[in-house]
Every structure is written in structure tokens, then in C-alpha cells.
């Protein structure tokens, strides 16, 4: 169930980007129709699948609706501007960094006590591991991070 929700959120993030691009080229009518289809589809699927499969049905419904939203918004954007390129290698780096984070968290959760401080430490550790892994794997992310860090001027001697 958790994996389905993670995938749904990932697909939703891509759908949001495609819809934002559609809005950016001044076609809010198309973005609106896609969003309405997503909302109606999500509600309909949730009503049907929750009654059959409880929480698992809700996760499946959310995943299916997010998949539909991503596919529809990509197709609409491709029709409007041509097929946009998708940075598959960068997405792969993000998936790999998430896998490294998941591994670290599985180990960490096995040794941490169950309290609020441990939750904060776990969240911080997960974010740190993901960030370090992504900066290490992706030259593009590494260059972006380096461009954001101000350079210290060398002292005049």
C-alpha cells in the first residue's frame, strides 16, 4: 500500500509539472479539463475500490488516478508543443538515491527506540542520506548545488 502511494505521489508530481507547462503556454482550459477528469476519476475510483478493498482500494484508486493524470497531461502537452523530453537518467538517479535512503532507514529503524526524538532523527537522517546520495550520483544536481553556494573570496595578501 505504501509503495502504491509513493508511486502515486511521484506520478502526481510529474502530472503537476505537465499541467503547469500547459498553463504556462496560456491553455488553462485544457489544464482545467485534465484536473476535473483527475478529481472525478479519483473520487469515483475511491468510492468503488474502498468499498471492495478498504485502504488498499484507496491506495490503488489514488495510484490509478495519478497515473491517468500524468498520462493525460503529458499527452496534452505533447499535442500542444511536441513531445517534451523526459530526463530518464536524472529520474534514475533520484530512484537510486531513494533506494539508498530506504536502505539506511531500514537499518536505522532497526536500532532506534520508538519515541519522538527518534522520529526527528530518522527524518533528518533520511533527508541527509537522500541529499548526499543524489548530489553524489547526479552531476546536474551537484552543479546546481555548487551554483547556489556562495564562493568565499580569496584574501588579498
Amino acid at each position: 500500500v505504501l509503495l502504491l502511494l509513493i508511486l502515486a505521489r511521484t506520478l502526481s508530481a510529474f502530472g503537476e509539472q505537465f499541467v503547469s507547462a500547459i498553463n504556462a503556454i496560456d491553455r488553462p482550459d485544457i489544464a482545467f479539463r485534465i484536473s476535473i477528469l483527475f478529481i472525478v476519476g479519483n473520487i469515483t475510483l475511491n468510492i468503488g475500490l474502498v468499498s471492495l478493498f478498504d485502504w488498499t482500494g484507496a491506495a490503488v484508486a489514488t495510484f490509478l488516478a495519478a497515473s491517468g493524470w500524468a498520462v493525460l497531461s503529458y499527452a496534452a502537452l505533447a499535442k500542444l508543443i511536441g513531445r517534451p523530453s523526459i530526463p530518464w537518467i536524472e529520474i534514475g538517479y533520484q530512484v537510486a538515491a531513494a533506494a539508498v535512503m530506504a536502505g539506511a532507514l531500514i537499518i536505522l529503524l532497526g536500532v532506534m527506540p520508538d519515541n519522538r526524538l527518534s522520529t526527528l532523527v530518522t527524518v533528518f537522517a533520511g533527508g541527509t542520506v537522500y541529499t548526499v546520495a543524489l548530489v553524489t550520483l547526479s552531476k546536474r544536481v551537484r552543479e546546481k548545488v555548487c551554483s547556489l553556494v556562495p564562493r568565499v573570496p580569496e584574501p588579498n595578501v
Side-chain angles (χ1 to χ4, degrees):
V1 172
L2 183 60
L3 180 60
L4 278 176
L5 292 175
I6 291 169
L7 290 172
R9 181 62 195 119
T10 302
L11 289 167
S12 182
F14 282 100
E16 289 171 19
Q17 294 301 310
F18 298 143
V19 167
S20 292
I22 292 168
N23 279 319
I25 58 174
D26 201 24
R27 291 305 307 262
D29 56 317
I30 295 172
F32 178 75
R33 281 184 283 208
I34 292 168
S35 296
I36 289 296
L37 284 172
F38 167 71
I39 292 166
V40 170
N42 196 11
I43 291 169
T44 304
L45 286 166
N46 267 288
I47 289 170
L49 294 177
V50 167
S51 65
L52 294 173
F53 305 109
D54 292 323
W55 291 109
T56 303
V60 171
T62 301
F63 171 76
L64 291 174
S67 298
W69 192 37
V71 168
L72 284 174
S73 58
Y74 177 83
L77 184 61
K79 188 173 181 178
L80 291 168
I81 65 167
R83 187 171 162 225
S85 64
I86 296 177
W88 293 110
I89 292 173
E90 290 298 321
I91 293 169
Y93 291 146
Q94 292 173 21
V95 169
V100 169
M101 177 190 71
L105 289 177
I106 288 169
I107 293 167
L108 187 60
L109 289 171
V111 297
M112 295 289 283
D114 189 17
N115 59 43
R116 289 183 185 160
L117 178 60
S118 295
T119 301
L120 291 174
V121 169
T122 303
V123 169
F124 180 76
T128 301
V129 168
Y130 177 82
T131 301
V132 169
L134 188 58
V135 168
T136 301
L137 291 169
S138 172
K139 180 180 178 186
R140 183 177 175 186
V141 171
R142 192 169 43 255
E143 288 173 349
K144 182 66 81 172
V145 168
C146 288
S147 74
L148 296 173
V149 176
R151 293 197 167 176
V152 178
E154 294 186 24
N156 293 331
V157 179

